[in-house]
Amino acid sequence: MIIALYFLIGFLASLLGSMAGLGGGIIIKPLLDFFGHYDLPTIGLLSASTVLAMSTMSLIEVKRMNHNFDRSIGLLIACGSILGGFIGKGLFNHLVSDQSLTYFISIFQSALLALILIIIFLYMRYKNALRAYRLTNKWIILAVGIALGMLSSFLGIGGGPLNVAVLYLLFSMNAKNAVISSTFIIFFSQLSALALIAVTTGFSGYDLSMIGYMIGGGILGGWIGSRMVSKLSNKRIETVFNLTILLIIIINIYNLFFY
């Protein structure tokens, strides 16, 4: 049952994540917090590995189906995200090295994540009434990537919902292009997060008994989700995004106040 549970978490998170550009980490993190089987560093590693598997499969399908998206913007944000990811992960590792702070960091993460998601949910609901921009300055785009990478890496969420909202607001993308670009950015940010673990702490200190099942779920979810994106309208994708964000807000608030 434990194996089935973790495979299902990886699969459903990756399915919804690849359909809405959320990545999956935004779903995996609060769910693993809820079940409480692993400490924060292990949760971050399991989430990053699953999301990397999902994003790899999704991008393979995107290339196979010849979807067009602005790779130049995605690559600049991805480069910034890698740098910001190193900073955010380094800060996180420094804080959790003090065992007395782990509990408070978990509370802070849940509270900050819930607040960010509420803001994103409200923005997505009313974005048509707000002005959207189209940034072209490469340095500003790079700085946006650094900020996204720092925040998403510290929270251990892969950056999906943040990426999508920023791509709507600052680059005037439609739903499909935002989803694909977000997945492109997530791939590089999660790859850098795992590389940082490899060259600093290594993987020997983590409980990786469930990682293979979660990666398997991530691959399957990414494959199905990416194929569904090509069949869904922009409005349907936005609906999936908003409903998923609402569900994650509820889980985070529950974790914060009751767990």
Side-chain angles (χ1 to χ4, degrees):
M1 289 184 66
I2 293 295
I3 289 173
L5 172 66
Y6 278 88
F7 176 84
L8 193 61
I9 290 173
F11 170 72
L12 291 177
S14 298
L15 176 64
L16 293 172
S18 59
M19 286 174 62
L22 296 171
I26 190 71
I27 304 170
I28 294 170
K29 169 66 170 58
L31 281 178
L32 295 191
D33 278 342
F34 171 77
F35 287 111
H37 296 156
Y38 297 106
D39 57 20
L40 285 178
T42 302
I43 288 173
L45 176 58
L46 292 173
S47 176
S49 301
T50 307
V51 173
L52 180 62
M54 179 282 299
S55 58
T56 302
M57 177 55 68
S58 294
L59 291 176
I60 290 172
E61 285 298 305
V62 165
K63 183 175 178 59
R64 192 183 67 81
M65 291 184 283
N66 293 318
H67 283 300
N68 293 317
F69 68 102
D70 194 332
R71 288 176 173 81
S72 60
I73 291 176
L75 193 58
L76 274 173
I77 297 177
C79 290
S81 293
I82 291 171
L83 178 57
F86 281 125
I87 297 171
K89 198 66 177 178
L91 175 61
F92 174 80
N93 289 341
H94 173 71
L95 292 174
V96 297
S97 64
D98 185 345
Q99 294 295 322
S100 64
L101 293 177
T102 301
Y103 175 73
F104 298 102
I105 293 169
S106 181
I107 292 175
F108 178 73
Q109 281 182 319
S110 292
L112 181 59
L113 184 54
L115 177 61
I116 290 171
L117 291 175
I118 289 170
I119 293 171
I120 291 173
F121 179 78
L122 292 174
Y123 168 73
M124 294 297 290
R125 285 292 303 273
Y126 301 106
K127 65 181 175 61
N128 292 331
L130 301 173
R131 180 181 176 184
Y133 301 86
R134 193 180 295 273
L135 295 183
T136 56
N137 186 292
K138 293 180 179 180
W139 292 107
I140 295 177
I141 296 173
L142 190 66
V144 168
I146 292 172
L148 288 173
M150 286 179 61
L151 193 55
S152 61
S153 182
F154 178 77
L155 293 174
I157 60 172
L162 290 170
N163 294 343
V164 172
V166 166
L167 291 169
Y168 274 114
L169 176 64
L170 299 183
F171 302 97
S172 301
M173 290 190 183
N174 61 33
K176 287 191 178 183
N177 285 340
V179 165
I180 296 171
S181 297
S182 176
T183 304
F184 185 72
I185 296 164
I186 287 166
F187 170 80
F188 288 101
S189 66
Q190 296 310 289
L191 185 62
S192 66
L194 291 173
L196 181 61
I197 294 173
V199 300
T200 54
T201 61
F203 300 104
S204 60
Y206 297 88
D207 181 354
L208 303 180
S209 56
M210 290 294 122
I211 193 169
Y213 306 107
M214 293 192 70
I215 287 175
I219 292 171
L220 182 60
W223 178 66
I224 296 174
S226 60
R227 294 177 75 86
M228 293 181 69
V229 166
S230 63
K231 299 177 182 178
L232 294 175
S233 65
N234 287 318
K235 187 173 182 180
R236 293 277 186 181
I237 292 173
E238 288 184 12
T239 300
V240 173
F241 182 93
N242 288 331
L243 290 176
T244 306
I245 289 292
L246 188 59
L247 174 63
I248 301 163
I249 290 171
I250 293 170
I251 295 173
N252 273 281
I253 291 175
Y254 179 88
N255 286 344
L256 185 61
F257 290 104
F258 299 103
Y259 185 73

